[in-house]
Amino acid sequence: MEKEFTSLERARLEKIQRLRSQGIEPYPTRAQVTHSSTAAIQAYEDAEAASSDGKVEVTLAGRLRAIRPMGKIAFAHIEDGAGRVQLLFRVNELGQEKMDLFVREFDLGDFIQASGTMFRTRTGEITLQVKEFQMLAKAITPLPAAKDEVVDGDVVRHALLSDPETRFRQRYADLAVNPEVRQIFRTRAAIVRALRQFLDERGFLEVETPILQPIYGGAAARPFITHHNQLKQDLYLRISFELYLKRLLVGGLERVYEIGRDFRNEGVSFKHNPEFTQLEFYTAYADFESNMAFTEEMIVFVCEQVLGSRVFNFNGHEIDVTPPWKRISLRQALIDAVGIDIADYPTGESLAEAMRLHDLHPAAGATRGKLIDGMLGDYLEPNFIQPTFLYDYPRDISPLAKNKPGDPQTVERFEGFVGGMELCNAFTELNDPLEQEARFEEMGREYSSEDEEHHPLDEDYIQAMSYGMPPNGGFGMGIDRLTMLLTDKHSIREVILFPHLRSREED
RNA sequence: GGGCGCGUAGCUCAAUGGUAGAGCAGUGGCCUUUUAAGCCAUUGGUUGAGGGUUCGAGCCCCUCCGCGCUCACCA
């Protein structure tokens, strides 16, 4: 397919030709940089404070974000990873030929390098007086942004790229013109770093387990299927790490965690992307109860590391993660919210009938657990704005969790909610191999084999458990959603660098 | 998958069914401390794609593509 250039791009291609005809390489191999933009400004301020006469000589590099030619002089701003700094080009300093070169052939978006002396302009802005400059990389396509304005020291961008489709399809352009987008991903990295530090300091071992799996499991989700050609074997992209991580407990690794990608072949929404990042950890001799306190401690640690605060704003709410978080049983929460005591309805049929009496609409053919889960999502989750642990879940939607003693319908499990979203999910892990096998078979009966959430029986997992698995508590949390909370973004696409979009048809 | 909305210049946006426009960017010119610099001139469009109605369609109708919101779905 022949690439078609716009008139703006053709103008810049002609500039490349002109540069080359003058013996100037528009994409030189190397740059020499002595200071970042902010470091150069700092160096000048330091020299000023010391009232030294020593001139601050620097070589800076960055992307041209503003040019203001005024005849015999021209002001420009370049932006680098640290910030932005003004450049002053003067014909007296450079000569007419170099001045013309800059004004005629350099464009917004080009990467350039400039050397000279730092000084302060009449308006007080610390600026590089340019003695030498060169092109580092010519931009052919103009950046999708208008010029910047500086108001009281703050950069105000006009006509900034806002079309979500372009922003996500051409995330590089979004990042290039929207600095706050870059900040989201710095925050995201800081969150992951804080989680690792927290777990590493507590004796956890970070591990990696298979992404390509012969049997998927550990969650109720439809998998992506792929194929190994040479082995002639279908494989699944993992939907969770759970079953592999717990195998490691059998092997004597008592505290393990993994941060990585899960893949679920389901609909996309503001809080669902087909691939997303998950943290899971498993702790021998822990249980769901101790995991609640551990979760509170971990989230507080992350917030303090990343935000320097336990309080943040999300979607117009001030959220405070200071422990203890609200704790309420799923049963009690549903009594409060919809007036149904699930303990009174031991079967799916009776619960569905009760829901109809309360003018709710039970999904046809759903199991008791799925009905409860449905009410949870509709009537509980959106209202859990402040951090809340919901605990004691129905057994039939939790096939890997251990029974609550004395209550055969309920398992020791909790989910943590913040900002009206499920953030994490944890339970006391089932470690009885015979019961685990029975649970898988139970699932097999209740969910038809056509059901997308049908759980395949992982015999090797049973085999592992039969060697003896220490009692343990497991935990899973969506990193994307935690990032949404800490950056006050309300769509998962904002916190994923390259979110999934439908392919565009070539024409 | 259903419903609602959106798609116009590189970006942000206008345009009762009646000649497709503005700001910024671009191009040419003036301009030696500006900062969305300013001033003068000027280029730029298959209005997402295709079909239909009409004397005439960016606008009305149909199909398709993409995006958003929402519902369904989602341990």
Side-chain angles (χ1 to χ4, degrees), chain A residues 154-174:
Chain A
D154 293 324
V155 177
V156 178
R157 276 155 218 268
H158 295 272
L160 53 82
L161 177 65
S162 59
D163 171 42
E165 186 171 355
T166 309
R167 286 189 50 225
F168 298 137
R169 284 193 197 281
Q170 300 191 26
R171 184 66 110 165
Y172 35 87
D174 184 33

Side-chain angles (χ1 to χ4, degrees), chain A residues 312-476:
Chain A
F312 57 88
N313 286 305
F314 179 73
N315 213 1
H317 302 284
E318 183 175 274
I319 290 173
D320 185 347
V321 298
T322 302
W325 295 4
K326 181 183 174 186
R327 299 184 185 196
I328 185 170
S329 72
L330 177 52
R331 177 188 168 197
Q332 186 60 49
L334 285 172
I335 291 171
D336 295 347
V338 300
I340 294 177
D341 184 349
I342 54 175
D344 293 342
Y345 307 99
T347 65
E349 292 73 25
S350 61
L351 182 58
E353 183 55 31
M355 288 173 67
R356 275 188 286 272
L357 287 173
H358 282 76
D359 214 22
L360 308 178
H361 304 287
T367 65
R368 178 174 181 273
K370 286 197 135 193
L371 291 172
I372 293 170
D373 194 47
M375 288 191 284
L376 191 175
D378 290 344
Y379 307 111
L380 302 182
E381 179 173 8
N383 299 319
F384 290 145
I385 305 297
Q386 294 300 325
T388 303
F389 289 125
L390 192 64
Y391 62 90
D392 286 355
Y393 274 64
R395 168 190 164 110
D396 74 86
I397 56 169
S398 314
L400 303 165
K402 206 167 199 168
N403 240 99
K404 184 177 172 154
D407 183 351
Q409 292 237 67
T410 308
V411 294
E412 290 200 346
R413 171 179 171 192
F414 74 81
E415 290 185 313
F417 297 85
V418 182
M421 283 192 300
E422 178 195 336
L423 178 65
C424 59
N425 178 24
F427 32 91
T428 306
E429 303 291 337
L430 179 54
N431 65 339
D432 174 343
L434 300 181
E435 189 187 344
Q436 183 66 75
E437 187 163 17
R439 292 276 205 98
F440 277 135
E441 282 166 4
E442 203 175 290
M443 292 288 290
R445 279 198 301 277
E446 289 178 1
Y447 294 77
S448 75
S449 58
E450 290 83 45
D451 191 313
E452 284 152 1
E453 293 172 29
H454 174 77
H455 261 62
L457 173 59
D458 189 337
E459 288 177 8
D460 183 71
Y461 177 63
I462 306 288
Q463 172 68 56
M465 203 181 281
S466 71
Y467 279 106
M469 177 188 289
N472 70 93
F475 174 92

Side-chain angles (χ1 to χ4, degrees), chain A residues 273-289:
Chain A
N273 194 64
E275 52 181 299
F276 62 101
T277 301
Q278 187 99 353
L279 161 69
E280 287 190 28
F281 63 75
Y282 293 84
T283 315
Y285 317 118
D287 57 32
F288 87 124
E289 196 85 47

Side-chain angles (χ1 to χ4, degrees), chain A residues 228-245:
Chain A
H228 191 294
N229 290 340
Q230 204 263 319
L231 298 179
K232 296 183 169 54
Q233 179 187 12
D234 280 341
L235 292 166
Y236 302 96
L237 273 60
R238 67 181 174 191
I239 57 173
S240 86
F241 323 151
E242 173 152 5
L243 300 182
Y244 280 96
L245 289 178

Side-chain angles (χ1 to χ4, degrees), chain A residues 210-217 221-228 233-239 244 263 456:
Chain A
I211 291 174
L212 296 175
Q213 302 182 347
I215 298 175
Y216 61 93
R222 187 178 177 180
F224 286 94
I225 303 171
T226 188
H227 185 77
H228 191 294
Q233 179 187 12
D234 280 341
L235 292 166
Y236 302 96
L237 273 60
R238 67 181 174 191
I239 57 173
Y244 280 96
F263 306 85

Side-chain angles (χ1 to χ4, degrees), chain A residues 299-310 312 321 486:
Chain A
I299 297 299
V300 165
F301 180 82
V302 170
C303 289
E304 287 182 343
Q305 287 285 303
V306 174
L307 303 176
S309 169
R310 298 176 173 197
F312 57 88
V321 298
L486 299 195

